[in-house]
Amino acid sequence: MAAAAAIISRPLRRGAGWPWAAKRLLSQSGCGSVRRGCRRPAQVSGKSTLFRRGLALSAVSCLGYEVYNFISHSAVVHASIKVEEILEQADYLYGSGETQKLYQLLIQHKTSEDAEILWRLARASRDLAQLSSTSAEEKKQLIYEALEYAKKALEKNESSFAVHKWYAICLSDIGDYKGIKTKIANAYIIKEHFQKAIELNPKDATSIHLMGIWCYSFAEMPWYQSKIAAMLFETPPSSTYEEALSYFHMAEEADPNFYSKNLLLLAKTYLKLNNKKMALLWLTKARDYPAHTEEDKEVQKEVMELLNSIR
């Protein structure tokens, strides 16, 4: 990649246009090469002239093909460099918590065919929807847009763990605007994609954490929803707090202290399992977690409420 980038960035010499490039390509390709010091006959016959014309046309055709290949390759390399620059900017803005700036950067590339750009746009759309300053109407629109971007990313690259993860997240968000039947039906698909994300990258703590949330949600599903699910599906989705706990611990092992909500959910799951001692341990860790985002602040608020209720 570095060598290719060097070719593109190298300026052409002044006055060096197509003839110079053509000569270079012609000599490199071996098409129509002429030996130096080879005398031309003073007179040539008609057949010889035709032969030379044919040879010249052949050389021009070959040259055209080589020039076309050179330009095409250059365009691909240039496009690749541009994508890398966009991704670098996007990751910097995401790491800085600049949600609106990140969205404005990526929305300019919503027609991109690159899965790496598209799943980041899905994430940015969803993050913007979660801001307290976003209206209910805007939130719904952004969530549906996020799913479309994630779906397109999945069509472009099924080998990316991040694509599977964000497709599952965005599909889950849509459930808030759908009926119980659609929500439960989507749960199977969501689980599939979280599991695929973990399979593709077993060290991604976020995917493991989200699988834990899936388990936790179905472990605490209200009885009436469980009844509806049993009526609608032969084998409705189900899970246990023990299974959820195992995923939250796995996430913490993969990347210790990576997310305030994982600490909170470890505590809440231990409370569900009537283990107050372990719940207090994780609540304390969650309380001491530095709050960088709005979500972190919400987590700390819930942590303080739980600590006050169980002491």
Side-chain angles (χ1 to χ4, degrees), residues 94-122:
Y94 181 74
S96 305
E98 297 282 0
T99 305
Q100 293 187 357
K101 288 181 182 177
L102 174 60
Y103 178 79
Q104 290 304 323
L105 167 70
L106 292 174
I107 197 65
Q108 299 174 64
H109 308 284
K110 64 180 181 180
T111 58
S112 172
E113 298 294 309
D114 194 286
E116 292 297 306
I117 289 177
L118 291 168
W119 75 253
R120 283 172 172 81
L121 177 54

Side-chain angles (χ1 to χ4, degrees), residues 17-308:
W18 285 114
W20 169 80
K23 183 178 179 183
R24 181 170 174 236
L25 283 170
L26 197 61
S27 64
Q28 286 176 350
S29 64
C31 295
S33 57
V34 180
R35 291 178 299 165
R36 287 184 184 177
C38 183
R39 290 189 307 158
R40 294 184 182 178
Q43 295 179 350
V44 291
S45 66
K47 286 182 180 178
S48 180
T49 303
L50 286 173
F51 175 76
R52 281 198 305 136
R53 282 180 184 169
L55 186 61
L57 286 172
S58 223
V60 169
S61 298
C62 187
L63 168 62
Y65 178 74
E66 291 291 337
V67 170
Y68 170 78
N69 274 347
F70 179 78
I71 294 170
S72 298
H73 177 69
S74 298
V76 169
V77 172
H78 180 71
S80 177
I81 291 169
K82 187 179 179 184
V83 167
E84 286 176 9
E85 288 173 356
I86 295 165
L87 297 181
E88 190 175 333
Q89 291 175 45
D91 290 344
Y92 173 77
L93 290 172
Y94 181 74
S96 305
E98 297 282 0
T99 305
Q100 293 187 357
K101 288 181 182 177
L102 174 60
Y103 178 79
Q104 290 304 323
L105 167 70
L106 292 174
I107 197 65
Q108 299 174 64
H109 308 284
K110 64 180 181 180
T111 58
S112 172
E113 298 294 309
D114 194 286
E116 292 297 306
I117 289 177
L118 291 168
W119 75 253
R120 283 172 172 81
L121 177 54
R123 180 182 65 183
S125 302
R126 182 185 184 273
D127 286 351
L128 190 60
Q130 305 303 318
L131 294 181
S132 56
S133 56
T134 305
S135 69
E137 187 179 340
E138 288 173 328
K139 180 177 180 177
K140 182 178 180 181
Q141 183 181 340
L142 284 164
I143 283 173
Y144 272 89
E145 282 180 11
L147 179 61
E148 286 306 307
Y149 300 136
K151 191 184 294 182
K152 189 178 175 185
L154 188 62
E155 289 168 1
K156 300 299 175 187
N157 186 2
E158 291 187 358
S159 300
S160 166
F161 81 94
V163 168
H164 285 278
K165 174 170 68 178
W166 285 99
Y167 177 74
I169 291 170
C170 294
L171 186 61
S172 179
D173 287 341
I174 294 294
D176 294 337
Y177 303 98
K178 300 285 187 180
I180 185 69
K181 184 176 180 179
T182 303
K183 195 170 183 176
I184 294 172
N186 283 347
Y188 293 101
I189 304 168
I190 292 164
K191 183 180 182 181
E192 249 177 59
H193 286 282
F194 282 147
Q195 288 176 329
K196 185 65 177 176
I198 295 168
E199 179 188 322
L200 289 167
N201 185 0
K203 294 184 182 296
D204 181 53
T206 311
S207 297
I208 303 168
H209 163 81
L210 291 167
M211 192 64 239
I213 289 182
W214 190 95
C215 295
Y216 186 93
S217 300
F218 281 98
E220 70 165 2
M221 181 186 279
W223 67 268
Y224 64 90
Q225 286 189 5
S226 297
K227 193 170 183 180
I228 293 169
M231 289 169 62
L232 294 172
F233 301 94
E234 187 177 341
T235 53
S238 63
S239 189
T240 63
Y241 290 118
E242 287 83 0
E243 190 176 7
L245 188 68
S246 70
Y247 278 112
F248 295 140
H249 272 298
M250 281 168 60
E252 206 59 32
E253 287 167 14
D255 190 1
N257 216 39
F258 76 104
Y259 187 29
S260 60
K261 198 166 184 180
N262 197 64
L263 302 175
L264 172 61
L265 281 164
L266 274 161
K268 288 175 75 171
T269 310
Y270 273 117
L271 282 175
K272 293 288 186 182
L273 295 169
N274 298 313
N275 190 332
K276 186 178 174 181
K277 183 181 177 181
M278 289 301 293
L280 282 169
L281 171 68
W282 290 102
L283 282 172
T284 304
K285 289 187 178 185
R287 181 197 63 193
D288 297 338
Y289 189 93
H292 295 300
T293 66
E294 285 188 23
E295 187 179 36
D296 291 334
K297 291 170 187 175
E298 287 297 317
V299 164
Q300 285 196 345
K301 184 180 174 183
E302 188 174 351
V303 165
M304 294 312 296
E305 289 171 358
L306 285 170
L307 281 170
N308 292 331

